[in-house]
Amino acid sequence: MSAEGSRRAILAAACANLGIAATKFVAWGLTGASSMLAEAIHSTADTGNQLLLVIGGRAAKRQADESHPFGYGRARYLAAFMVAIVMFSLGGLFALYECYQKIVAVRAGEHDELSDSTWWWVPLVVILISLIAESLSLRTALQETHKARAHLSVIQFIRQSKAPELPVVMLEDCAAVLGLIFALLGIGLTLLTGNDIFDALGSGFIGVLLVVVAIVLAREMLSLLEGESASPENQQAIRDALTGTDGVAQVIHMRTVHLGPETILLAAKIAVDPDESAGEVARIIDAAEQRVRSAVPTVGPSFLEPDVLRDTTAEKEN
């Protein structure tokens, strides 16, 4: 996935969330609907999350220096992990708290102003408009990932992607669409039955949804922060490139780790002819590195250690 594609998806999500948050706050102010307040805070949090992704992307572009010799690529993973924290706390926990407060109020006999408000129709209009905007944002994200996903499902893409921005936007947009459906059901049932508990439950379902999505996102980003290896396809391509280099008899062992979405660190021990001169071994290593980067352009720092294959059978007999 190109950086331009990620940027387009982020901007589409940010623009949608900013406008939607404002309209939801207006709807909540006019009717006092708990589901609308939960959704307004959700959209506000999502807007802030887009800013975090942009900040993380800029931080990751800093050049490597003495204190960070391999660069700052993982700043993007950190930003996405912070998005999960914001979604969990400001989005999910707030919605659950609002649900609790509303249920307590209903049980105490307090009547919700939603049913009696002359503006009862405003939340329904806002939800329908928001559904259209969020669906368009989700479609943009799906279009941007179509080529990168290839044969992968959305869930598989989220789990296997090394670039955090589009999976984050996709999860946020999916949560936004489902959250709006919960809000529509909660407010709609309250208006139909006059029972305020449905509005509270709508907020509760939104909270549970955001907590679950935040946990999934945090788990994936934590794995990337801890250091994930290259994909099986890239690992095989690297191995084939090494063994296909003239003078490399075998790959004894190999390790890869993502320093960032577009940078793979490679460390490998390769078997060479023990009779080769030091100059020839150096030539083999240079050729192997060039061949690897041609096969997998995202390979950055590489450390190839020459070694010789030992006859373990003969050693055991002796």
Side-chain angles (χ1 to χ4, degrees):
M1 172 53 52
S2 67
E4 181 64 22
S6 296
R7 190 179 67 84
R8 281 197 299 267
I10 292 173
L11 290 177
C15 291
N17 288 326
L18 187 60
I20 289 170
T23 57
K24 287 176 181 176
F25 273 117
V26 170
W28 167 70
L30 292 174
T31 64
S34 293
S35 297
M36 274 291 89
L37 178 58
E39 273 297 302
I41 296 297
H42 175 195
S43 295
T44 302
D46 282 352
T47 303
N49 288 340
Q50 313 313 317
L51 295 178
L52 284 174
L53 293 177
V54 172
I55 292 171
R58 289 183 177 179
K61 292 180 180 179
R62 287 181 292 175
Q63 295 298 317
D65 52 36
E66 187 174 349
S67 61
H68 294 79
F70 294 121
Y72 294 83
R74 288 186 183 174
R76 291 166 66 182
Y77 299 149
L78 179 60
F81 186 75
M82 292 173 64
V83 165
I85 295 175
V86 171
M87 186 183 297
F88 180 86
S89 56
L90 187 57
L93 294 186
F94 180 87
L96 290 174
Y97 174 76
E98 179 66 17
C99 172
Y100 169 76
Q101 290 287 89
K102 190 62 170 286
I103 290 176
V104 170
V106 171
R107 290 174 62 88
E110 297 181 17
H111 189 61
D112 195 345
E113 61 182 292
L114 173 62
S115 301
D116 299 330
S117 174
T118 56
W119 301 99
W120 60 267
W121 52 273
V122 173
L124 300 179
V125 173
V126 169
I127 289 174
L128 292 176
I129 294 175
S130 300
L131 271 172
I132 294 174
E134 294 290 3
S135 298
L136 291 174
S137 178
L138 177 58
R139 188 184 69 172
T140 300
L142 291 173
Q143 288 175 340
E144 294 296 340
T145 61
H146 180 72
K147 184 176 180 180
R149 284 190 293 121
H151 61 284
L152 299 177
S153 66
V154 172
I155 299 300
Q156 289 174 326
F157 173 74
I158 290 172
R159 297 198 63 180
Q160 297 182 25
S161 176
K162 306 300 181 182
E165 290 83 3
L166 281 174
V168 169
V169 171
M170 289 173 67
L171 283 172
E172 284 185 341
D173 287 346
C174 288
V177 171
L178 289 174
L180 287 166
I181 292 173
F182 291 148
L184 180 62
L185 290 173
I187 293 174
L189 289 173
T190 292
L191 293 173
L192 288 174
T193 65
N195 190 341
D196 299 329
I197 200 70
F198 290 113
D199 183 28
L201 291 177
S203 177
F205 280 120
I206 292 169
V208 172
L209 170 68
L210 293 178
V211 166
V212 171
V213 171
I215 291 174
V216 171
L217 178 59
R219 181 180 177 181
E220 295 302 319
M221 293 306 110
L222 180 61
S223 178
L224 290 167
L225 278 171
E226 291 172 336
E228 283 190 4
S229 62
S231 67
E233 294 80 8
N234 279 341
Q235 289 190 56
Q236 188 59 51
I238 292 171
R239 190 177 295 275
D240 291 343
L242 289 172
T243 55
T245 303
D246 185 31
V248 177
Q250 181 180 325
V251 176
I252 300 173
H253 65 71
M254 183 181 76
R255 299 289 185 273
T256 61
V257 65
H258 267 271
L259 300 175
E262 288 89 27
T263 308
I264 299 172
L265 183 146
L266 167 66
K269 180 175 286 190
I270 56 176
V272 298
D273 191 330
D275 296 329
E276 296 287 4
S277 65
E280 181 61 18
V281 170
R283 185 202 64 78
I284 292 172
I285 291 176
D286 290 342
E289 289 180 337
Q290 184 177 0
R291 193 178 182 94
V292 164
R293 291 194 175 95
S294 296
V296 184
T298 51
V299 171
S302 60
F303 303 90
L304 301 183
E305 179 184 353
D307 203 345
V308 295
L309 291 176
R310 295 175 176 80
D311 189 349
T312 56
T313 302
E315 291 177 358
K316 289 181 180 180
E317 290 178 353
N318 294 333

mmCIF file of all heavy atoms in Angstrom, residues 172-213:
data_model
loop_
_atom_site.group_PDB
_atom_site.id
_atom_site.type_symbol
_atom_site.label_atom_id
_atom_site.label_comp_id
_atom_site.label_asym_id
_atom_site.label_seq_id
_atom_site.Cartn_x
_atom_site.Cartn_y
_atom_site.Cartn_z
ATOM 1 N N GLU A 172 -11.720 1.487 12.471
ATOM 2 C CA GLU A 172 -12.494 2.626 12.956
ATOM 3 C C GLU A 172 -13.775 2.804 12.151
ATOM 4 O O GLU A 172 -14.850 3.053 12.721
ATOM 5 C CB GLU A 172 -11.657 3.904 12.886
ATOM 6 C CG GLU A 172 -10.609 4.016 13.971
ATOM 7 C CD GLU A 172 -9.896 5.351 13.937
ATOM 8 O OE1 GLU A 172 -9.957 6.031 12.892
ATOM 9 O OE2 GLU A 172 -9.289 5.712 14.947
ATOM 10 N N ASP A 173 -13.675 2.697 10.838
ATOM 11 C CA ASP A 173 -14.850 2.891 9.998
ATOM 12 C C ASP A 173 -15.874 1.777 10.206
ATOM 13 O O ASP A 173 -17.086 2.028 10.217
ATOM 14 C CB ASP A 173 -14.445 2.965 8.527
ATOM 15 C CG ASP A 173 -13.749 4.276 8.184
ATOM 16 O OD1 ASP A 173 -13.832 5.198 9.009
ATOM 17 O OD2 ASP A 173 -13.125 4.362 7.116
ATOM 18 N N CYS A 174 -15.387 0.536 10.354
ATOM 19 C CA CYS A 174 -16.308 -0.577 10.634
ATOM 20 C C CYS A 174 -17.019 -0.353 11.966
ATOM 21 O O CYS A 174 -18.234 -0.565 12.087
ATOM 22 C CB CYS A 174 -15.545 -1.900 10.662
ATOM 23 S SG CYS A 174 -14.986 -2.480 9.048
ATOM 24 N N ALA A 175 -16.250 0.076 12.986
ATOM 25 C CA ALA A 175 -16.840 0.350 14.294
ATOM 26 C C ALA A 175 -17.827 1.503 14.212
ATOM 27 O O ALA A 175 -18.870 1.494 14.885
ATOM 28 C CB ALA A 175 -15.739 0.676 15.305
ATOM 29 N N ALA A 176 -17.519 2.506 13.378
ATOM 30 C CA ALA A 176 -18.408 3.658 13.240
ATOM 31 C C ALA A 176 -19.742 3.252 12.627
ATOM 32 O O ALA A 176 -20.809 3.668 13.096
ATOM 33 C CB ALA A 176 -17.735 4.726 12.381
ATOM 34 N N VAL A 177 -19.692 2.424 11.586
ATOM 35 C CA VAL A 177 -20.932 1.992 10.929
ATOM 36 C C VAL A 177 -21.774 1.148 11.882
ATOM 37 O O VAL A 177 -22.988 1.361 12.025
ATOM 38 C CB VAL A 177 -20.603 1.204 9.644
ATOM 39 C CG1 VAL A 177 -21.867 0.564 9.070
ATOM 40 C CG2 VAL A 177 -19.974 2.128 8.601
ATOM 41 N N LEU A 178 -21.146 0.192 12.559
ATOM 42 C CA LEU A 178 -21.883 -0.642 13.507
ATOM 43 C C LEU A 178 -22.412 0.178 14.678
ATOM 44 O O LEU A 178 -23.537 -0.040 15.151
ATOM 45 C CB LEU A 178 -20.986 -1.768 14.015
ATOM 46 C CG LEU A 178 -20.643 -2.871 13.019
ATOM 47 C CD1 LEU A 178 -19.636 -3.841 13.618
ATOM 48 C CD2 LEU A 178 -21.906 -3.624 12.601
ATOM 49 N N GLY A 179 -21.594 1.135 15.161
ATOM 50 C CA GLY A 179 -22.030 1.984 16.266
ATOM 51 C C GLY A 179 -23.255 2.800 15.903
ATOM 52 O O GLY A 179 -24.170 2.971 16.719
ATOM 53 N N LEU A 180 -23.291 3.302 14.685
ATOM 54 C CA LEU A 180 -24.452 4.076 14.239
ATOM 55 C C LEU A 180 -25.694 3.197 14.144
ATOM 56 O O LEU A 180 -26.811 3.653 14.442
ATOM 57 C CB LEU A 180 -24.155 4.712 12.880
ATOM 58 C CG LEU A 180 -23.178 5.898 12.918
ATOM 59 C CD1 LEU A 180 -22.693 6.242 11.520
ATOM 60 C CD2 LEU A 180 -23.841 7.118 13.573
ATOM 61 N N ILE A 181 -25.510 1.954 13.748
ATOM 62 C CA ILE A 181 -26.649 1.027 13.705
ATOM 63 C C ILE A 181 -27.185 0.787 15.118
ATOM 64 O O ILE A 181 -28.404 0.780 15.346
ATOM 65 C CB ILE A 181 -26.232 -0.295 13.042
ATOM 66 C CG1 ILE A 181 -25.934 -0.069 11.555
ATOM 67 C CG2 ILE A 181 -27.329 -1.348 13.205
ATOM 68 C CD1 ILE A 181 -25.362 -1.276 10.841
ATOM 69 N N PHE A 182 -26.265 0.618 16.091
ATOM 70 C CA PHE A 182 -26.700 0.445 17.477
ATOM 71 C C PHE A 182 -27.439 1.686 17.980
ATOM 72 O O PHE A 182 -28.448 1.588 18.680
ATOM 73 C CB PHE A 182 -25.501 0.161 18.383
ATOM 74 C CG PHE A 182 -24.860 -1.182 18.152
ATOM 75 C CD1 PHE A 182 -23.492 -1.348 18.337
ATOM 76 C CD2 PHE A 182 -25.614 -2.271 17.748
ATOM 77 C CE1 PHE A 182 -22.897 -2.585 18.127
ATOM 78 C CE2 PHE A 182 -25.030 -3.509 17.533
ATOM 79 C CZ PHE A 182 -23.665 -3.668 17.723
ATOM 80 N N ALA A 183 -26.911 2.862 17.627
ATOM 81 C CA ALA A 183 -27.553 4.106 18.046
ATOM 82 C C ALA A 183 -28.939 4.242 17.426
ATOM 83 O O ALA A 183 -29.895 4.670 18.087
ATOM 84 C CB ALA A 183 -26.686 5.298 17.659
ATOM 85 N N LEU A 184 -29.049 3.866 16.151
ATOM 86 C CA LEU A 184 -30.339 3.942 15.465
ATOM 87 C C LEU A 184 -31.365 3.027 16.126
ATOM 88 O O LEU A 184 -32.522 3.406 16.340
ATOM 89 C CB LEU A 184 -30.158 3.564 13.994
ATOM 90 C CG LEU A 184 -31.421 3.581 13.118
ATOM 91 C CD1 LEU A 184 -32.009 4.991 13.074
ATOM 92 C CD2 LEU A 184 -31.104 3.084 11.717
ATOM 93 N N LEU A 185 -30.923 1.805 16.470
ATOM 94 C CA LEU A 185 -31.827 0.865 17.133
ATOM 95 C C LEU A 185 -32.237 1.378 18.510
ATOM 96 O O LEU A 185 -33.414 1.307 18.892
ATOM 97 C CB LEU A 185 -31.158 -0.509 17.246
ATOM 98 C CG LEU A 185 -30.963 -1.280 15.940
ATOM 99 C CD1 LEU A 185 -30.147 -2.545 16.184
ATOM 100 C CD2 LEU A 185 -32.311 -1.636 15.332
ATOM 101 N N GLY A 186 -31.255 1.889 19.274
ATOM 102 C CA GLY A 186 -31.562 2.364 20.620
ATOM 103 C C GLY A 186 -32.527 3.535 20.622
ATOM 104 O O GLY A 186 -33.529 3.533 21.350
ATOM 105 N N ILE A 187 -32.239 4.535 19.795
ATOM 106 C CA ILE A 187 -33.101 5.721 19.745
ATOM 107 C C ILE A 187 -34.447 5.380 19.119
ATOM 108 O O ILE A 187 -35.506 5.820 19.596
ATOM 109 C CB ILE A 187 -32.400 6.840 18.965
ATOM 110 C CG1 ILE A 187 -31.177 7.332 19.744
ATOM 111 C CG2 ILE A 187 -33.360 7.992 18.688
ATOM 112 C CD1 ILE A 187 -30.328 8.332 18.995
ATOM 113 N N GLY A 188 -34.415 4.577 18.056
ATOM 114 C CA GLY A 188 -35.658 4.207 17.386
ATOM 115 C C GLY A 188 -36.605 3.448 18.298
ATOM 116 O O GLY A 188 -37.814 3.736 18.345
ATOM 117 N N LEU A 189 -36.086 2.483 19.052
ATOM 118 C CA LEU A 189 -36.932 1.707 19.962
ATOM 119 C C LEU A 189 -37.444 2.565 21.113
ATOM 120 O O LEU A 189 -38.573 2.375 21.584
ATOM 121 C CB LEU A 189 -36.145 0.502 20.502
ATOM 122 C CG LEU A 189 -35.873 -0.614 19.496
ATOM 123 C CD1 LEU A 189 -34.948 -1.668 20.081
ATOM 124 C CD2 LEU A 189 -37.192 -1.264 19.047
ATOM 125 N N THR A 190 -36.622 3.509 21.571
ATOM 126 C CA THR A 190 -37.080 4.420 22.624
ATOM 127 C C THR A 190 -38.240 5.278 22.125
ATOM 128 O O THR A 190 -39.238 5.484 22.833
ATOM 129 C CB THR A 190 -35.918 5.314 23.098
ATOM 130 O OG1 THR A 190 -34.952 4.518 23.787
ATOM 131 C CG2 THR A 190 -36.429 6.399 24.044
ATOM 132 N N LEU A 191 -38.135 5.779 20.908
ATOM 133 C CA LEU A 191 -39.203 6.603 20.345
ATOM 134 C C LEU A 191 -40.475 5.796 20.089
ATOM 135 O O LEU A 191 -41.589 6.291 20.273
ATOM 136 C CB LEU A 191 -38.728 7.255 19.042
ATOM 137 C CG LEU A 191 -37.614 8.306 19.177
ATOM 138 C CD1 LEU A 191 -37.125 8.746 17.801
ATOM 139 C CD2 LEU A 191 -38.108 9.507 19.977
ATOM 140 N N LEU A 192 -40.305 4.528 19.703
ATOM 141 C CA LEU A 192 -41.467 3.688 19.414
ATOM 142 C C LEU A 192 -42.179 3.211 20.672
ATOM 143 O O LEU A 192 -43.413 3.135 20.713
ATOM 144 C CB LEU A 192 -41.044 2.480 18.571
ATOM 145 C CG LEU A 192 -40.665 2.749 17.107
ATOM 146 C CD1 LEU A 192 -40.121 1.491 16.456
ATOM 147 C CD2 LEU A 192 -41.886 3.257 16.335
ATOM 148 N N THR A 193 -41.399 2.885 21.698
ATOM 149 C CA THR A 193 -41.985 2.287 22.911
ATOM 150 C C THR A 193 -42.129 3.265 24.068
ATOM 151 O O THR A 193 -42.871 2.992 25.015
ATOM 152 C CB THR A 193 -41.116 1.104 23.384
ATOM 153 O OG1 THR A 193 -39.826 1.596 23.783
ATOM 154 C CG2 THR A 193 -40.946 0.079 22.266
ATOM 155 N N GLY A 194 -41.378 4.367 24.017
ATOM 156 C CA GLY A 194 -41.384 5.287 25.145
ATOM 157 C C GLY A 194 -40.538 4.813 26.301
ATOM 158 O O GLY A 194 -40.516 5.443 27.366
ATOM 159 N N ASN A 195 -39.821 3.711 26.119
ATOM 160 C CA ASN A 195 -38.962 3.146 27.169
ATOM 161 C C ASN A 195 -37.535 3.659 26.973
ATOM 162 O O ASN A 195 -36.869 3.332 25.992
ATOM 163 C CB ASN A 195 -38.992 1.622 27.111
ATOM 164 C CG ASN A 195 -38.323 0.983 28.318
ATOM 165 O OD1 ASN A 195 -37.538 1.628 29.025
ATOM 166 N ND2 ASN A 195 -38.643 -0.276 28.561
ATOM 167 N N ASP A 196 -37.059 4.456 27.929
ATOM 168 C CA ASP A 196 -35.744 5.083 27.797
ATOM 169 C C ASP A 196 -34.582 4.108 27.922
ATOM 170 O O ASP A 196 -33.444 4.459 27.613
ATOM 171 C CB ASP A 196 -35.586 6.182 28.859
ATOM 172 C CG ASP A 196 -36.631 7.265 28.706
ATOM 173 O OD1 ASP A 196 -37.048 7.510 27.568
ATOM 174 O OD2 ASP A 196 -37.030 7.855 29.731
ATOM 175 N N ILE A 197 -34.879 2.892 28.394
ATOM 176 C CA ILE A 197 -33.795 1.935 28.609
ATOM 177 C C ILE A 197 -33.128 1.541 27.292
ATOM 178 O O ILE A 197 -31.945 1.205 27.245
ATOM 179 C CB ILE A 197 -34.326 0.666 29.330
ATOM 180 C CG1 ILE A 197 -33.167 -0.090 29.988
ATOM 181 C CG2 ILE A 197 -35.085 -0.238 28.378
ATOM 182 C CD1 ILE A 197 -32.572 0.615 31.164
ATOM 183 N N PHE A 198 -33.887 1.587 26.194
ATOM 184 C CA PHE A 198 -33.319 1.211 24.898
ATOM 185 C C PHE A 198 -32.231 2.194 24.460
ATOM 186 O O PHE A 198 -31.224 1.795 23.880
ATOM 187 C CB PHE A 198 -34.417 1.125 23.832
ATOM 188 C CG PHE A 198 -35.336 -0.036 24.010
ATOM 189 C CD1 PHE A 198 -36.664 0.171 24.333
ATOM 190 C CD2 PHE A 198 -34.872 -1.329 23.869
ATOM 191 C CE1 PHE A 198 -37.526 -0.904 24.500
ATOM 192 C CE2 PHE A 198 -35.726 -2.413 24.031
ATOM 193 C CZ PHE A 198 -37.059 -2.204 24.358
ATOM 194 N N ASP A 199 -32.429 3.465 24.738
ATOM 195 C CA ASP A 199 -31.414 4.482 24.422
ATOM 196 C C ASP A 199 -30.139 4.200 25.215
ATOM 197 O O ASP A 199 -29.024 4.306 24.690
ATOM 198 C CB ASP A 199 -31.958 5.865 24.740
ATOM 199 C CG ASP A 199 -30.986 6.973 24.372
ATOM 200 O OD1 ASP A 199 -30.177 6.773 23.443
ATOM 201 O OD2 ASP A 199 -31.034 8.046 25.006
ATOM 202 N N ALA A 200 -30.307 3.842 26.490
ATOM 203 C CA ALA A 200 -29.148 3.512 27.323
ATOM 204 C C ALA A 200 -28.428 2.278 26.797
ATOM 205 O O ALA A 200 -27.192 2.245 26.735
ATOM 206 C CB ALA A 200 -29.597 3.281 28.768
ATOM 207 N N LEU A 201 -29.178 1.265 26.398
ATOM 208 C CA LEU A 201 -28.566 0.042 25.875
ATOM 209 C C LEU A 201 -27.835 0.307 24.561
ATOM 210 O O LEU A 201 -26.808 -0.319 24.280
ATOM 211 C CB LEU A 201 -29.638 -1.035 25.673
ATOM 212 C CG LEU A 201 -30.261 -1.598 26.958
ATOM 213 C CD1 LEU A 201 -31.354 -2.609 26.620
ATOM 214 C CD2 LEU A 201 -29.186 -2.246 27.831
ATOM 215 N N GLY A 202 -28.362 1.234 23.766
ATOM 216 C CA GLY A 202 -27.662 1.597 22.531
ATOM 217 C C GLY A 202 -26.283 2.132 22.834
ATOM 218 O O GLY A 202 -25.288 1.777 22.183
ATOM 219 N N SER A 203 -26.185 2.994 23.847
ATOM 220 C CA SER A 203 -24.885 3.513 24.271
ATOM 221 C C SER A 203 -23.998 2.394 24.786
ATOM 222 O O SER A 203 -22.788 2.364 24.531
ATOM 223 C CB SER A 203 -25.097 4.573 25.356
ATOM 224 O OG SER A 203 -23.859 5.053 25.832
ATOM 225 N N GLY A 204 -24.591 1.440 25.524
ATOM 226 C CA GLY A 204 -23.809 0.323 26.058
ATOM 227 C C GLY A 204 -23.226 -0.554 24.962
ATOM 228 O O GLY A 204 -22.065 -0.960 25.038
ATOM 229 N N PHE A 205 -24.028 -0.861 23.955
ATOM 230 C CA PHE A 205 -23.529 -1.683 22.852
ATOM 231 C C PHE A 205 -22.410 -0.974 22.097
ATOM 232 O O PHE A 205 -21.454 -1.603 21.641
ATOM 233 C CB PHE A 205 -24.673 -2.035 21.897
ATOM 234 C CG PHE A 205 -25.533 -3.161 22.362
ATOM 235 C CD1 PHE A 205 -26.892 -2.990 22.577
ATOM 236 C CD2 PHE A 205 -24.994 -4.409 22.602
ATOM 237 C CE1 PHE A 205 -27.696 -4.029 23.015
ATOM 238 C CE2 PHE A 205 -25.767 -5.471 23.033
ATOM 239 C CZ PHE A 205 -27.132 -5.279 23.245
ATOM 240 N N ILE A 206 -22.541 0.347 21.953
ATOM 241 C CA ILE A 206 -21.474 1.127 21.308
ATOM 242 C C ILE A 206 -20.184 1.008 22.117
ATOM 243 O O ILE A 206 -19.093 0.822 21.577
ATOM 244 C CB ILE A 206 -21.886 2.601 21.164
ATOM 245 C CG1 ILE A 206 -23.032 2.738 20.160
ATOM 246 C CG2 ILE A 206 -20.689 3.459 20.705
ATOM 247 C CD1 ILE A 206 -23.670 4.111 20.148
ATOM 248 N N GLY A 207 -20.307 1.107 23.454
ATOM 249 C CA GLY A 207 -19.136 0.989 24.314
ATOM 250 C C GLY A 207 -18.466 -0.366 24.202
ATOM 251 O O GLY A 207 -17.232 -0.452 24.095
ATOM 252 N N VAL A 208 -19.256 -1.441 24.241
ATOM 253 C CA VAL A 208 -18.683 -2.790 24.116
ATOM 254 C C VAL A 208 -17.986 -2.950 22.776
ATOM 255 O O VAL A 208 -16.883 -3.514 22.689
ATOM 256 C CB VAL A 208 -19.794 -3.853 24.281
ATOM 257 C CG1 VAL A 208 -19.253 -5.241 23.957
ATOM 258 C CG2 VAL A 208 -20.348 -3.828 25.703
ATOM 259 N N LEU A 209 -18.609 -2.455 21.712
ATOM 260 C CA LEU A 209 -18.018 -2.534 20.372
ATOM 261 C C LEU A 209 -16.660 -1.856 20.332
ATOM 262 O O LEU A 209 -15.669 -2.419 19.829
ATOM 263 C CB LEU A 209 -18.965 -1.883 19.357
ATOM 264 C CG LEU A 209 -18.416 -1.667 17.942
ATOM 265 C CD1 LEU A 209 -18.201 -3.004 17.250
ATOM 266 C CD2 LEU A 209 -19.366 -0.788 17.131
ATOM 267 N N LEU A 210 -16.574 -0.636 20.869
ATOM 268 C CA LEU A 210 -15.320 0.117 20.815
ATOM 269 C C LEU A 210 -14.238 -0.545 21.672
ATOM 270 O O LEU A 210 -13.064 -0.541 21.303
ATOM 271 C CB LEU A 210 -15.550 1.554 21.272
ATOM 272 C CG LEU A 210 -16.435 2.405 20.357
ATOM 273 C CD1 LEU A 210 -16.619 3.798 20.936
ATOM 274 C CD2 LEU A 210 -15.841 2.485 18.955
ATOM 275 N N VAL A 211 -14.611 -1.094 22.810
ATOM 276 C CA VAL A 211 -13.635 -1.783 23.653
ATOM 277 C C VAL A 211 -13.058 -2.999 22.930
ATOM 278 O O VAL A 211 -11.841 -3.225 22.939
ATOM 279 C CB VAL A 211 -14.286 -2.198 24.990
ATOM 280 C CG1 VAL A 211 -13.405 -3.200 25.736
ATOM 281 C CG2 VAL A 211 -14.525 -0.981 25.868
ATOM 282 N N VAL A 212 -13.925 -3.772 22.281
ATOM 283 C CA VAL A 212 -13.464 -4.965 21.554
ATOM 284 C C VAL A 212 -12.542 -4.569 20.405
ATOM 285 O O VAL A 212 -11.466 -5.159 20.219
ATOM 286 C CB VAL A 212 -14.670 -5.776 21.032
ATOM 287 C CG1 VAL A 212 -14.200 -6.883 20.086
ATOM 288 C CG2 VAL A 212 -15.444 -6.380 22.195
ATOM 289 N N VAL A 213 -12.944 -3.575 19.604
ATOM 290 C CA VAL A 213 -12.123 -3.129 18.473
ATOM 291 C C VAL A 213 -10.781 -2.593 18.974
ATOM 292 O O VAL A 213 -9.729 -2.860 18.374
ATOM 293 C CB VAL A 213 -12.862 -2.055 17.650
ATOM 294 C CG1 VAL A 213 -11.924 -1.438 16.617
ATOM 295 C CG2 VAL A 213 -14.069 -2.665 16.955
#
